[in-house]
Amino acid sequence: MIIDDDESARTALAVLLDGAPGTEVRAVLGGTEAPATIVGVDADLALIGRVAEGPGQAEVIFAAALARREPLALAGYGGFDTTGPGAKYLNGVLPPSLTGKDFVHAVHVLAGGLRVWATRPDQAARLAHLTPREREVLTLLSDGLSNDGIAHRLALHVGTVKDHIRAVYTKCGVANRVEAALFAHGLTAPRPGLRRPPAPASHTPVSPAPASRTPVSPAPRGGAPVSPAPARGGAPRAAAPVFRPAAPTRRSA
């Protein structure tokens, strides 16, 4: 789904994505029509560009997206205002410099549920440290080839390919194939483990308090308990039993 008040921009993007394998554009909308339509569109990702029709229009669009029953990833691109309050709902931001195959790759990553942020300012410096062979391996890895596929394409042993991939990870500062592929396209994906919120306080185990037993005075024979009452003159009545308070030593905490 593409949302943009710039008709030429949204049309050009729709042509790019519809012509790429693995993508299908389900709706191309302007900012004013998006809130009423976005709930019913069967899509995994909404690309939001320049939305300038009226104050707060972007927030209305985000509210409609969050009201959907099915989850929808949100990403800004092109002229999207990343400084506005709606930016906190984004799963990623794709810069205007990202075009063609790189843009399509980022869209696939976002639609798959990952977060993508652009760009990596250290990409050029890190790429300069790669050998020509490591660059070839990174390019093929970013195209989705397996280790066996890379080995076949470059006429190398699989073990040699693994050595090159480990070197690429170290020099590029990435931890896995997805991060390496994003790095090759000038993007970065925040690692969920570094952004995980602290566990709620209710998850902290609490030692159970010891149960307290309240002493209960025994009921008299033949019926309900009767409050003790001293007889006049200080002597107990002969016809009623005498009840004394429980001794302190018999209380338990």
Side-chain angles (χ1 to χ4, degrees):
M1 184 189 321
I2 301 171
I3 303 171
D4 200 323
D5 281 333
D6 187 335
E7 184 176 0
S8 61
R10 68 180 186 241
T11 302
L13 182 55
V15 171
L16 169 67
L17 295 178
D18 260 341
T23 60
E24 180 184 355
V25 178
R26 298 290 178 86
V28 182
L29 309 169
T32 55
E33 58 184 325
T37 309
I38 194 172
V39 176
V41 178
D42 182 15
D44 301 310
L45 171 67
L47 296 171
I48 306 174
R50 187 181 302 279
V51 179
E53 294 290 339
Q57 187 63 38
E59 287 78 0
V60 174
I61 293 173
F62 285 118
L66 295 173
R68 286 168 49 101
R69 179 173 298 179
E70 298 296 328
L72 179 70
L74 302 170
Y77 82 96
F80 181 83
D81 181 13
T82 58
T83 63
K88 63 184 177 181
Y89 299 111
L90 295 179
N91 294 80
V93 175
L94 308 180
S97 59
L98 199 64
T99 59
K101 183 180 72 173
D102 293 346
F103 193 99
V104 173
H105 178 80
V107 166
H108 287 171
V109 173
L110 284 163
L114 297 178
R115 298 171 64 87
V116 175
W117 299 98
T119 57
R120 288 195 59 139
D122 61 342
Q123 186 198 29
R126 287 182 177 273
L127 285 175
H129 289 85
L130 298 180
T131 66
R133 180 64 81 186
E134 289 167 353
R135 283 173 175 267
E136 290 179 323
V137 170
L138 176 60
T139 299
L140 295 176
L141 184 152
S142 67
D143 287 338
L145 271 68
S146 65
N147 290 353
D148 289 338
I150 296 173
H152 179 75
R153 183 74 62 87
L154 300 179
L156 299 173
H157 292 291
V158 175
T160 304
V161 171
K162 291 180 179 179
D163 291 338
H164 285 313
I165 290 177
R166 281 192 288 267
V168 167
Y169 286 0
T170 301
K171 294 180 180 180
C172 295
V174 298
N176 51 54
R177 299 178 82 90
V178 172
E179 290 185 10
L182 291 174
F183 179 88
H185 293 282
L187 305 171
T188 182
R191 300 177 190 174
L194 301 180
R195 293 173 175 264
R196 188 173 300 160
S202 60
H203 289 180
T204 304
V206 179
S207 301
S212 59
R213 292 180 296 176
T214 304
V216 179
S217 300
R221 296 177 182 176
V226 178
S227 300
R232 294 175 183 174
R237 294 178 181 179
V242 178
F243 293 91
R244 295 183 175 85
T249 57
R250 305 180 69 178
R251 296 180 183 272
S252 59

